[in-house]
Amino acid sequence: GEVDRLDCGGLYRTEAIRSVGYFADRNLHAFEEFELGARLRAKGWKLARIAVDSVDHFGHAVAGYTLMLRRLRTGYAGGPGEVVRGAVGQPHWRQVVRDFSQLRYGFVIWAWWLLLLGAAVLGQWLALGVIAAVPIAYFAWRRGGLRLGLYSLATWNVKAIGLVQGFVRSRRP
């Protein structure tokens, strides 16, 4: 059915790619498919996933936290920020703001950080504990255990850091 991006491979009409000027933004370390999909949809094109397997994708062979740190170090985690920065002032800006879940994750975590900081600055230690515990409890419940819950919360924090990291990275023409 209709989707906002063709992750892990896709076929595109040549006319569609020409209408948006280029296939891939060389400034992006990640989320190239989303960015291309946003540009295409802003020009009126539709993207659809068809029920034919064309790619086998295998997961990463390293541990989760190691992979997270590698993504921060290599710039991959900055991909969401690069997508947002590249869209500023462009026709696909509205598509990015409306559909890019990475942006929402970042805003939620930034708000959480501000609440934690506010409670610490005001010396509200009980509030600080509650503010810290609520997302941990939520993710533990959502993911079916404390270990996976903490990992999910860590990934959301890496995404929030990556948004900033990528947004401030200089762009090449």
Side-chain angles (χ1 to χ4, degrees):
E2 196 169 320
V3 294
D4 65 356
R5 69 193 96 178
L6 297 176
D7 285 336
C8 296
L11 298 173
Y12 300 89
R13 294 179 186 266
T14 304
E15 178 186 348
I17 300 301
R18 285 189 179 131
S19 76
V20 295
Y22 56 92
F23 183 69
D25 182 341
R26 67 188 234 156
N27 292 285
L28 301 181
H29 285 80
F31 298 97
E32 303 90 345
E33 297 96 342
F34 175 82
E35 191 271 345
L36 175 60
R39 286 187 289 123
L40 288 166
R41 289 180 301 114
K43 287 280 192 171
W45 293 95
K46 291 186 183 340
L47 301 171
R49 174 87 44 211
I50 57 175
V52 177
D53 290 342
S54 62
V55 175
D56 286 328
H57 184 268
F58 299 95
H60 303 280
V62 297
Y65 288 101
T66 303
L67 180 62
M68 252 191 276
L69 291 173
R70 181 185 300 162
R71 287 181 171 178
L72 279 170
R73 195 174 54 252
T74 62
Y76 179 92
E82 293 166 340
V83 168
V84 173
R85 176 147 184 220
V88 172
Q90 299 300 317
H92 63 286
W93 168 251
R94 289 170 66 185
Q95 303 287 335
V96 169
V97 170
R98 186 184 71 219
D99 298 332
F100 200 33
S101 61
Q102 306 298 318
L103 193 56
R104 288 189 295 279
Y105 297 155
F107 286 142
V108 168
I109 293 298
W110 295 339
W112 182 57
W113 291 344
L114 287 173
L115 288 171
L116 287 169
L117 180 64
V121 166
L122 296 173
Q124 298 295 316
W125 309 118
L126 179 60
L128 180 66
V130 170
I131 293 166
V134 166
I136 293 169
Y138 169 76
F139 280 114
W141 168 76
R142 185 86 167 96
R143 298 295 179 212
L146 184 59
R147 195 176 118 260
L148 286 177
L150 288 171
Y151 180 76
S152 290
L153 182 59
T155 60
W156 277 47
N157 277 271
V158 167
K159 290 173 183 182
I161 293 166
L163 269 169
V164 175
Q165 182 188 51
F167 192 82
V168 299
R169 187 175 290 136
S170 60
R171 288 183 55 84
R172 295 175 291 170

